[in-house]
Amino acid sequence: MDRADRPPRQGPLWLSVISVALIVAAVIGALAATQRLTLGIFGAPALAAISSSLTIPTDTTAGLAEPQRAYFSPDGSRIAVIGAFTPCHQDAPGLARCGHGLAIFSASTGALIQVSPLEPLLGVSEPADGFSLARGSSGYTALTGLGWSPDSAWFALVYSVFDTPTPMTPDDMPDSGLLLINPQTGATRVIRGDSGYFAALGGAPAAHPIWRLVGPQPQTPGVAPAPGLIYAWGGNGLPFPTVPLKSAISELPANAGPRYPVGSPDGVAPFTIWQPGLVIGPGSAGVGGGRSAFVTTFASWSADDARLGEITAGVALPTPVRADGALSAPAGTPGPSVAEPATLVETPARDVALTHVQEAVGAYGRASVAWNPAGTMLASVNCFASGSGQLQVRDTASGALIGQSALHFAANDPGCRDTTNTNLHLTWAPDGSTLVTTDAAASTITLWRIHASAS
């Protein structure tokens, strides 16, 4: 065989591998340089808005299972979480006969700072056969966090103590009220009153008690503010809409739109209704007219630390055309059993990012959403999306997806598909540098570090 008939010589295989690796590395470097791609601490690719994540198992670090939503202190230094002490065995339907604790974590490192048992602060002791009230009745407690005072000194929660795991009437509730804890000093204060527990069972969940921490009349029970987009605290000690919504509007007020911060309900007024909540597709929302819904319930403190309570608000949203034919959840999927205002007035979506979330939700289903305080980014989890769940962050000005990372739900973890919206919550740090996802089923909180410049 002469030279012309010989097959071409093949270079060594390792040279080809190195060449491909160099090309891939060059592409990754170029993308990272333009902030389109970064590597998280676990080595998984992520869009630039999410730089890293840290997952904290609350059951092994603090001995608390099923954590409620996380609460950042207004100074941004600490994260508070309420959970049930492990092991917690529930033998009968209804409330579990378990103790609860308040865990405080460092917002910068995720390290556990302290854990405070809650039942003993309410006069509930722990004998060998379980928890019981000092007065002799069994203790089953229901707790709802109201967050930190504006000076970051006190943490507040509403409590109800029952003598049965399935309370049906006020006679089953020997004690209820507001518990205030100063984690740094150990000081506590209890203000007894109606927790609103049975009002919610009776079908009026949008009316919440307002607690007054100074002066006479410590409580105004069952307050449901009028519909609005922007709220503040009035001279009468109650929250009110600065511009009431009396009928559908075609344009948002400037200070409730995409160019303004959403506002902090923790002592800085005014603040908008665009707080962490749910976007519900038109087929599941049940508001009529082919409209979607946004609903939210959030705690609010007055600027002088003198009053606090919860506000339930929401609006009906025009459904984007691209959402009508999309299905992220099966047709007929009902809406969640959560607090909703009596009236959902139709308004435009706050920003194009919210519109894109509506498109992803489609005709049925829902998404958990939370804006950063500046209103420049919207975090969301599409509750019925295929796979194991994705945390997404969008730029509110352009609607562009600027951050995304898998949540890796376990097989028995419903994410935000649970019907009561108690499993998965999103919470932003006051400065927008961190987003926390709280997963009750997994007994974890995950701190996602956010690059604001990515928006």
Side-chain angles (χ1 to χ4, degrees), residues 266-295:
D266 294 330
V268 181
F271 50 89
T272 69
I273 69 166
W274 308 118
Q275 306 297 325
L278 290 175
V279 174
I280 308 172
S284 301
V287 298
R291 295 171 294 173
S292 306
F294 167 75
V295 294

Side-chain angles (χ1 to χ4, degrees), residues 249 300 402 432:
I249 60 174
S300 178
I402 58 174

